[in-house]
């Protein structure tokens, strides 16, 4: 039993603790931003930083002590406090008391930019983007002012250079400095289990576009940084500087390796390349390891502390994902639909909880040892406490191979599967609305399956739920069988008569029902292995608390290791002059210590929780026995479009479903007719559909519609 439960603290007291933690986080973050604002100024370099060095530099940490204190410690402290705050959230469930949000706050989430190069951008995102651009412009202008004011003909002639050459040298330097600012934020959006993203209500899937924006900016600045130096060296006859690897100071050759690996990632990530050669993009992106390593060797470990926090949290998350992926997951059964969609049903640790529209990454070594693919979790945490389901539509080479394995006359009886996740959104904010309009295109219906199942559960417990209008668009009539997945296999035991649901299904290519839609769904039982494990949280039921412990413990171990190294080995040689001991050697050792610290802390936490999970699930695993493939499938698993929907107690889906053949939905008309007070609009589908719905929701005629989109593809 948890400490909070033992003490029996009231929810009000826990909430006050959460508010205190969030206020402390806000204060630390504002101080961190103040550092970035002041960093381009002479006040920072001539007054603040020297004073900090006097107090922070020691025989244990040397010059890097000040940089760790300024740039690394604040963010890692925020992440640790964020983990504690998120852990307390499970004791403050106020779902029953949710009220519609203030109109002013909802407006900030409405889309403002729709079809530009940035995609769909809300007012909040646009405001943050503007503030970030202002920070970049301020940094550039401040650096230019401080660097250019002392450049004169006399000073340039003393260096044997022209004025424009000295200015070009300064511009190259400031481009690198501003690029470091962008690099420091680059890894935050792709840290899937990030407490910082979760704390502000974001997920890594919804923030991938921020990573893309930052990536373009970083590579643009660093490319310009490198080109300016090449032009400068060419004009001053110093081209051998490109091969320079300094014992102390900047190593140009290392920077060039970092830039070239970054350019390879940049080129293959362009949409024209990524969409046609996704595997090339995926594998090339692993060059980030080379790029970051040589960046550290280029500038030295001390200055790398600027980008260390984001990369440090990403490294912890990546290693925890690696540990989780080494386990084989128990796949219980599969359903193959006539539309070539597959539902995979996994055994789940009952203590694992997740919110609707969560996603999970899947790897099947029999198909590809390296490829990981994200899929929406369609099961409901309350209806299926011992089971987790995902739906996969056969649309690519990987999913097509899986479909062939499951749909063959003699389907496979076992699949070796590894998973990462599931990763949940912050909350079920859709409960705040009086009505939900769900717009899906094709397999985009999968996020709505878990949402509708959640509402079915809440309705069966007599809780107030919003009215639902599902507008599902499919290409072929066989795809209508995707609607069968709206109910779980145990769905017949849940009364949906209290759920106000309407389904408007549109089939765009078929004008009449096809024979494919009449085919039966194929149900397959799979044989588990003794080494298979249920899907469970990588750090157990108290994962946020354990993650905070891993972050803080690994950082303490790292500080101890570099402190002992510097005090007993480097300081006796260098005496904090930074002129004797090689930068590259120190940077490599510190980087190794960083990785070792993360491995030690994360592995210990993982092993501890794995043993605890094994003890808790041993009884469940012993009671599960392999079901032969020839075993008759339960009748509730055998259905098609006509029969399954009629099997539902009290109200069938057939009664609330209207199918329109040979046409597309008039989204403008549908949304306008339902633009009453406090209506939530959720859309999941192709880019054009998301843009169309966003445009409708942002108009004055439909200002009561609150827009949100699901997009899990890069």
């Amino acid at each position: 039993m948890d400490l909070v439960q033992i003490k029996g603290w009231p929810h009000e007291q826990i909430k006050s603790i959460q508010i205190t933690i969030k206020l402390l986080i806000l204060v630390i973050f504002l101080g961190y931003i103040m550092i970035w604002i002041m960093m381009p100024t002479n006040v920072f370099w001539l007054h603040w930083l020297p004073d900090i060095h006097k107090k922070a530099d020691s025989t244990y940490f040397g010059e890097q002590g000040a940089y760790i204190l300024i740039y690394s410690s604040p963010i890692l402290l925020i992440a640790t406090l964020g983990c504690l705050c998120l852990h307390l959230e499970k004791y403050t469930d106020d779902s029953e008391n949710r009220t519609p949000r203030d109109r002013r706050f909802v407006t900030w989430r409405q889309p403002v930019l729709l079809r530009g190069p940035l995609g769909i951008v809300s007012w909040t995102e646009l405001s943050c983007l503007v503030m970030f651009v202002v920070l970049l412009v301020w940094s550039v202008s401040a650096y230019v002012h401080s660097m250019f004011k002392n450049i004169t003909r006399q000073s340039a002639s003393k260096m044997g250079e022209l004025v424009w050459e000295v200015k070009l040298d300064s511009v190259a330097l400031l481009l690198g400095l501003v690029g470091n600012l962008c690099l420091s934020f680059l890894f935050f959006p792709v840290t899937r289990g990030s407490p910082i993203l979760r704390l502000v209500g974001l997920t890594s899937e919804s923030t991938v576009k921020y990573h893309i924006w930052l990536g373009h900016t970083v590579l643009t600045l660093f490319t310009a940084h490198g080109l300016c130096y090449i032009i400068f060296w060419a004009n001053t006859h110093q081209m051998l500087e490109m091969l320079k690897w300094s014992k102390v100071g900047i190593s140009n050759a290392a920077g060039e390796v970092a830039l070239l690996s970054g350019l390879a990632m940049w080129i293959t990530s362009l949409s024209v390349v990524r969409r046609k050669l996704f595997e090339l993009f995926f594998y090339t992106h692993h060059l980030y390891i080379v790029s970051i390593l040589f960046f550290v060797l280029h500038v030295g470990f001390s200055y790398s502390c600027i980008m260390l926090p984001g990369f440090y949290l990403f490294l912890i998350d990546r290693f925890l994902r690696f540990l989780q992926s080494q386990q084989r997951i128990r796949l219980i059964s599969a359903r193959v639909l006539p539309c070539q969609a597959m539902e995979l049903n996994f055994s789940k640790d009952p203590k694992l909880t997740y919110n609707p529209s969560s996603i999970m990454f899947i790897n099947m070594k029999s198909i590809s040892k390296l490829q990981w693919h994200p899929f929406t979790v369609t099961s409901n945490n309350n209806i299926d406490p011992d089971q987790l389901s995902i739906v996969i539509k056969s649309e690519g080479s990987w999913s097509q191979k899986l479909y062939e394995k499951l749909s063959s006359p003699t389907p496979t009886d076992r699949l070796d599967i590894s998973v990462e996740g599931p990763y949940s959104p912050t909350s079920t904010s859709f409960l705040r609305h009086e009505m939900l309009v769900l717009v899906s295109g094709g397999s985009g219906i999968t996020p709505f399956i878990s949402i509708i199942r959640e509402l079915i559960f809440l309705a069966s417990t007599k809780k107030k739920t919003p009215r639902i209008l599902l507008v599902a668009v499919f290409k072929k009539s066989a795809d209508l069988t995707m609607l069968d997945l709206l109910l779980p296999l145990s769905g017949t035991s849940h009364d949906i008569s209290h759920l106000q649901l309407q389904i408007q299904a549109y089939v765009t290519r078929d004008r009449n029902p096809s024979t494919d839609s009449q085919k039966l769904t194929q149900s397959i039982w799979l044989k588990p292995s003794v080494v298979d494990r249920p899907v469970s949280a990588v750090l157990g039921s108290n994962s946020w608390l354990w993650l905070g412990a891993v972050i803080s413990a690994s950082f303490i171990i790292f500080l101890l290791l570099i402190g002992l190294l510097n005090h007993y080995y480097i300081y006796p040689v260098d005496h904090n002059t930074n002129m004797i001991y090689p930068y590259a050697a120190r940077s490599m050792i510190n980087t190794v210590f960083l990785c070792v610290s993360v491995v030690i802390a994360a592995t210990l936490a993982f092993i501890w929780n794995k043993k605890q999970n094994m003890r808790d699930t041993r009884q469940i695993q012993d009671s599960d026995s392999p079901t032969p493939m020839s075993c008759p499938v339960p009748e509730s698993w055998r259905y098609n479009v006509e029969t399954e929907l009629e099997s539902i107690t009290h109200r069938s889906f057939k009664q609330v479903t209207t199918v329109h053949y040979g046409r597309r939905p008039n989204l403008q008309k549908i949304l306008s007719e339902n633009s009453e007070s406090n209506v939530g609009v959720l859309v999941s589908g192709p880019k054009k559909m998301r843009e169309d719905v966003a445009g409708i929701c942002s108009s004055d005629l439909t200002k009561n519609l609150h827009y949100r989109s699901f997009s899990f593809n890069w």
Side-chain angles (χ1 to χ4, degrees):
M1 187 174 292
D2 196 89
L3 178 63
V4 176
Q5 293 176 306
I6 292 175
K7 291 192 174 183
W9 292 353
H11 285 187
E12 293 76 12
Q13 188 172 354
I14 301 174
K15 274 189 163 296
S16 64
I17 295 174
Q18 279 187 295
I19 293 173
T20 302
I21 295 174
K22 289 180 179 180
L23 288 175
L24 179 58
I25 289 174
L26 179 61
V27 171
I28 297 171
F29 179 72
L30 291 176
Y32 181 73
I33 294 298
M34 180 59 66
I35 293 294
W36 280 110
I37 294 174
M38 294 300 298
M39 197 169 71
T41 65
N42 288 331
V43 173
F44 177 82
W45 291 103
L46 301 180
H47 299 285
W48 288 16
L49 191 58
D51 290 341
I52 295 173
H53 273 301
K54 290 179 182 178
K55 298 175 181 178
D57 293 359
S58 65
T59 60
Y60 287 95
F61 299 109
E63 180 189 42
Q64 61 195 6
Y67 289 97
I68 291 174
L69 179 64
I70 296 172
Y71 299 110
S72 302
S73 299
I75 295 299
L76 296 182
L77 180 58
I78 288 175
T80 303
L81 292 173
C83 289
L84 178 58
C85 189
L86 292 169
H87 174 72
L88 294 175
E89 275 189 359
K90 64 181 182 180
Y91 306 110
T92 59
D93 182 18
D94 58 349
S95 58
E96 295 184 10
N97 301 319
R98 287 192 176 107
T99 57
R101 293 183 178 179
D102 190 293
R103 177 71 197 174
R104 293 170 297 177
F105 296 104
V106 172
T107 302
W108 282 96
R109 300 187 64 179
Q110 293 292 84
V112 57
L113 300 180
L114 303 177
R115 293 179 172 83
L118 300 180
I120 300 173
V121 180
S122 68
W123 282 106
T124 301
E125 292 171 333
L126 181 62
S127 301
C128 293
L129 180 61
V130 169
M131 287 188 287
F132 187 76
V133 171
V134 168
L135 178 61
L136 293 182
V137 172
W138 156 252
S139 299
V140 170
S141 60
Y143 279 128
V144 167
H145 177 266
S146 60
M147 291 177 178
F148 280 22
K149 69 178 182 179
N150 295 322
I151 298 177
T152 62
R153 290 184 178 180
Q154 291 78 11
S155 61
S157 62
K158 289 180 181 180
M159 294 184 287
E161 299 168 356
L162 300 176
V163 172
W164 75 269
E165 292 174 339
V166 178
K167 289 185 176 181
L168 180 62
D169 187 17
S170 299
V171 168
L173 176 60
L174 76 86
L175 287 171
L177 294 173
V178 177
N180 292 339
L181 190 158
C182 299
L183 182 62
S184 65
F185 293 95
L186 183 64
F187 287 93
F188 285 107
V190 289
T191 304
R192 295 179 192 165
S194 171
I196 294 178
L197 291 182
R198 184 69 180 268
L199 201 62
V200 295
L202 298 173
T203 63
S204 61
E205 290 69 45
S206 63
T207 57
V208 164
K209 61 182 178 182
Y210 308 151
H211 175 74
I212 296 173
W213 299 349
L214 288 166
H216 287 314
T217 307
V218 167
L219 268 302
T220 299
L221 291 170
F222 281 168
T223 301
H225 165 74
L227 289 176
C228 285
Y229 269 120
I230 292 174
I231 296 172
F232 172 75
W233 292 330
N235 279 275
T236 56
H237 309 290
Q238 303 179 69
M239 290 303 292
L240 288 178
E241 287 288 322
M242 292 187 65
L243 305 177
K244 180 181 177 182
W245 192 296
S246 302
K247 180 179 179 181
V248 294
I250 301 296
S251 295
N252 297 330
E256 290 151 14
V257 174
L259 179 58
L260 289 174
S261 57
L263 288 174
M265 289 188 289
W266 194 17
I267 293 172
T268 56
S269 67
L270 297 175
S271 59
V272 65
V273 178
R274 186 184 70 244
R275 296 186 184 280
K276 294 182 179 180
L277 302 169
F278 182 83
E279 291 187 7
L280 177 63
F281 153 76
F282 177 79
Y283 296 129
T284 306
H285 237 61
H286 288 81
L287 286 173
Y288 78 87
I289 301 172
V290 177
S291 185
I292 292 299
L293 176 61
F294 279 88
F295 172 83
V296 174
L297 296 176
H298 173 55
V299 300
F301 190 84
S302 295
Y303 196 72
S304 299
C305 291
I306 291 177
M307 52 74 61
L308 179 62
F311 183 71
Y312 191 86
L313 294 176
F314 172 81
L315 189 63
I316 291 175
D317 178 73
R318 187 65 190 86
F319 186 68
L320 287 173
R321 284 158 45 197
F322 167 76
L323 292 176
Q324 186 183 26
S325 67
Q326 299 309 297
Q327 301 180 104
R328 295 294 172 266
I329 301 303
R330 176 175 297 182
L331 179 61
I332 302 173
S333 62
R335 290 197 288 177
V336 182
L337 276 64
C339 62
Q340 296 189 359
M342 299 153 283
E343 181 186 54
L344 304 184
N345 304 297
F346 301 92
S347 174
K348 181 184 80 71
D349 181 358
K351 294 184 297 183
L352 173 63
T353 60
Y354 52 88
N355 290 329
S357 69
S358 299
I359 70 163
M360 189 166 68
F361 286 76
I362 303 295
N363 171 263
M364 295 187 187
K365 293 188 181 298
S366 59
I367 299 178
S368 174
K369 294 182 179 180
L370 297 177
Q371 290 187 32
W372 288 81
H373 293 266
F375 298 102
T376 307
V377 176
T378 54
S379 55
N380 177 260
N381 191 61
N382 297 299
I383 295 178
D384 301 302
D386 301 317
Q387 180 177 295
L388 185 147
S389 303
I390 63 170
V391 171
I392 302 174
K393 188 75 163 63
S394 178
E395 294 178 335
S397 59
W398 187 91
S399 56
Q400 181 62 35
K401 291 177 182 178
L402 175 61
Y403 176 76
E404 292 171 358
K405 285 178 175 290
L406 294 177
S407 62
S408 64
T410 56
T412 182
D413 61 354
R414 172 168 169 75
L415 290 171
D416 286 332
I417 298 180
S418 300
V419 305
E420 292 178 359
Y423 302 102
S424 297
T426 307
S427 64
T428 53
S429 59
F430 50 82
L431 292 177
R432 299 177 182 272
H433 301 291
E434 297 174 5
M435 179 178 182
L436 286 178
V437 179
L438 312 179
V439 183
S440 70
S443 58
I445 195 175
T446 52
F448 301 148
I449 295 174
S450 59
I451 292 175
I452 291 177
R453 289 186 182 184
E454 171 76 5
L455 294 173
I456 289 174
F457 170 77
L458 294 175
S460 66
T461 59
K462 310 300 182 182
K463 290 184 179 180
K464 183 180 178 180
T465 56
R467 292 178 288 115
I468 307 172
L469 171 61
L470 172 62
V471 181
V473 184
F474 302 105
K475 291 181 179 179
K476 301 178 180 179
S477 57
D479 295 333
L480 289 170
T481 53
M482 292 283 286
L483 296 175
D484 298 354
L485 301 174
L486 291 174
L487 281 185
L489 293 178
S490 56
T492 53
S493 63
H494 292 274
D495 182 6
I496 68 164
S497 61
H498 298 287
L499 183 65
Q500 301 180 62
L501 172 66
Q502 283 187 313
I503 301 176
Q504 297 287 333
Y506 292 81
V507 181
T508 59
R509 293 186 179 178
D510 293 343
R511 296 188 176 276
N512 296 291
S514 67
T515 56
D516 289 340
S517 63
Q518 308 300 320
K519 295 180 181 179
L520 292 176
T521 294
Q522 181 183 1
S523 302
I524 304 168
W525 292 91
L526 292 112
K527 296 180 179 179
S529 170
V530 292
V531 298
D532 291 346
R533 296 287 179 265
V535 179
S536 60
V538 62
L539 292 177
S541 56
N542 294 319
S543 57
W544 287 119
L545 201 59
W546 276 101
L547 180 58
V550 169
I551 294 171
S552 55
S554 60
F555 191 57
I556 291 172
I557 294 172
F558 171 64
L559 293 178
L560 288 174
L561 291 176
I562 64 172
L564 293 174
L565 172 73
N566 196 74
H567 183 73
Y568 292 105
Y569 182 63
I570 297 179
Y571 180 78
V573 176
D574 192 81
H575 299 289
N576 281 350
T577 62
N578 296 313
M579 299 299 294
I580 301 174
Y581 198 84
Y583 268 38
R586 179 185 296 198
S587 298
M588 282 298 298
I589 295 173
N590 287 348
T591 303
V592 170
F593 281 172
L594 181 71
C595 298
V596 168
S597 303
V598 169
V599 169
I600 291 174
T603 302
L604 290 177
F606 175 77
I607 292 175
W608 177 278
N609 282 281
K610 182 179 179 180
K611 290 183 177 180
Q612 183 65 39
N613 287 336
M614 290 178 65
R615 285 195 295 267
D616 293 341
T617 59
R618 185 173 293 115
Q619 184 176 359
I620 299 176
Q621 292 176 354
D622 291 341
S623 64
D624 289 339
S625 58
T627 306
M629 294 297 296
S630 59
C631 176
V633 179
E635 191 63 29
S636 62
W637 288 39
R638 299 181 179 275
Y639 53 87
N640 54 33
V641 175
E642 299 295 333
T643 61
E644 192 224 37
L645 303 183
E646 296 177 350
S647 67
I648 304 173
T649 308
H650 302 301
R651 183 196 291 182
S652 68
F653 273 1
K654 186 176 181 180
Q655 293 174 339
V656 298
T657 302
T658 304
V659 180
H660 307 272
Y661 289 96
R663 65 188 182 95
R664 298 178 181 275
N666 187 338
L667 295 177
Q668 176 73 54
K669 180 181 179 182
I670 293 173
L671 294 176
S672 298
E673 291 175 349
N674 294 279
S675 59
E676 56 195 66
S677 177
N678 193 24
V679 177
V681 179
L682 281 66
V683 57
S684 175
K687 180 181 178 181
K688 187 178 185 305
M689 173 182 283
R690 299 197 305 270
E691 291 176 345
D692 291 342
V693 175
I696 296 170
C697 292
S698 61
S699 67
D700 292 335
L701 297 176
T702 56
K703 55 187 176 182
N704 287 326
L705 300 177
H706 307 152
Y707 172 86
R708 179 186 172 189
S709 70
F710 294 86
S711 177
F712 303 125
N713 58 319
W714 285 31

